[in-house]
């Protein structure tokens, strides 16, 4: 059995994508309970993903947006001032994230979406990570079913609140 403390964290980036109304994009994961069901079910999250070897977090976050939500129509506004880490639940240690990590350490960014809603495409990368997406008020983010990252989303909602205004 692998100990939670002997495995490293996976370097990761996350994106709070704000539309011109100051709302943030969330998408429903396809690999969690509730996927494919009614829109009020499932686990929702903001786009995120691993940082490739030699890749900067800024390049990684834009790449992940393109891979996960099918668009590169966004510009970075700000970065959270520190890396935020979370541990996987004990039953997923040695299974999730290729079995090589205890959780993830994430650099989060606020981005302004510069496209139209039609530019968001969940089917451009297979297998699709998300089956639905929507815009929500930033204050709602920590209250959605966001799984084990609730405390991270609470920190992000407080810190990036200045970007949750209409532009």
């Amino acid at each position: 059995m692998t100990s939670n403390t002997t495995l490293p964290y996976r370097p990761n980036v996350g994106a709070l994508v704000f539309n011109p109304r100051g709302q943030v994009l969330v998408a429903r994961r396809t690999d969690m309970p509730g996927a494919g069901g009614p829109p009020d079910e499932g686990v929702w999250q903001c786009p995120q993903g691993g940082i490739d070897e030699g890749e900067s977090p800024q390049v990684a976050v834009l790449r992940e947006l393109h891979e996960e939500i099918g668009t590169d129509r966004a510009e970075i506004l700000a970065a959270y001032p520190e890396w935020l880490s979370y541990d996987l639940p004990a039953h997923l240690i040695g299974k999730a994230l290729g079995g090589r990590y205890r959780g993830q350490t994430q650099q989060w960014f606020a981005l302004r979406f510069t496209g139209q809603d039609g530019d968001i495409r969940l089917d451009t990368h297979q297998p699709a990570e998300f089956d639905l997406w929507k815009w929500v008020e930033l204050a709602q983010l920590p209250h959605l079913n966001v799984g084990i990252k609730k405390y991270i989303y609470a920190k992000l909602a407080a810190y990036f609140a200045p970007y949750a205004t209409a532009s």
Side-chain angles (χ1 to χ4, degrees), residues 40-159:
D40 59 341
E41 294 180 1
V43 176
W44 295 80
Q45 73 174 43
C46 296
Q48 66 172 56
I51 301 173
D52 292 340
E53 185 76 29
E55 188 176 44
S56 73
Q58 294 82 359
V59 169
V61 75
L62 295 172
R63 177 186 49 76
E64 284 293 334
L65 279 183
H66 191 261
E67 288 178 8
E68 292 190 355
I69 63 169
T71 188
D72 58 2
R73 309 278 317 260
E75 57 191 22
I76 296 173
L77 299 171
Y80 192 81
E82 61 192 44
W83 290 72
L84 299 172
S85 300
Y86 70 89
D87 290 325
L88 292 168
H91 71 279
L92 293 177
I93 300 296
K95 296 177 185 152
L97 301 176
R100 302 183 331 211
Y101 303 98
R102 68 196 262 188
Q104 300 194 95
T105 187
Q106 301 177 305
Q107 175 69 71
W108 281 89
F109 295 91
L111 296 99
R112 178 71 62 203
F113 182 57
T114 60
Q116 303 295 316
D117 284 0
D119 294 326
I120 297 171
R121 299 269 319 269
L122 303 182
D123 61 349
T124 58
H125 187 265
Q126 296 298 320
E129 190 161 336
F130 305 116
D131 68 347
L132 290 176
W133 69 272
K134 62 184 175 181
W135 297 109
V136 299
E137 300 300 324
L138 181 61
Q140 279 184 273
L141 189 58
H143 305 289
L144 295 173
N145 180 4
V146 293
I148 61 177
K149 293 177 262 190
K150 189 172 282 290
Y151 80 96
I152 288 178
Y153 283 124
K155 284 184 174 204
L156 296 172
Y159 185 81

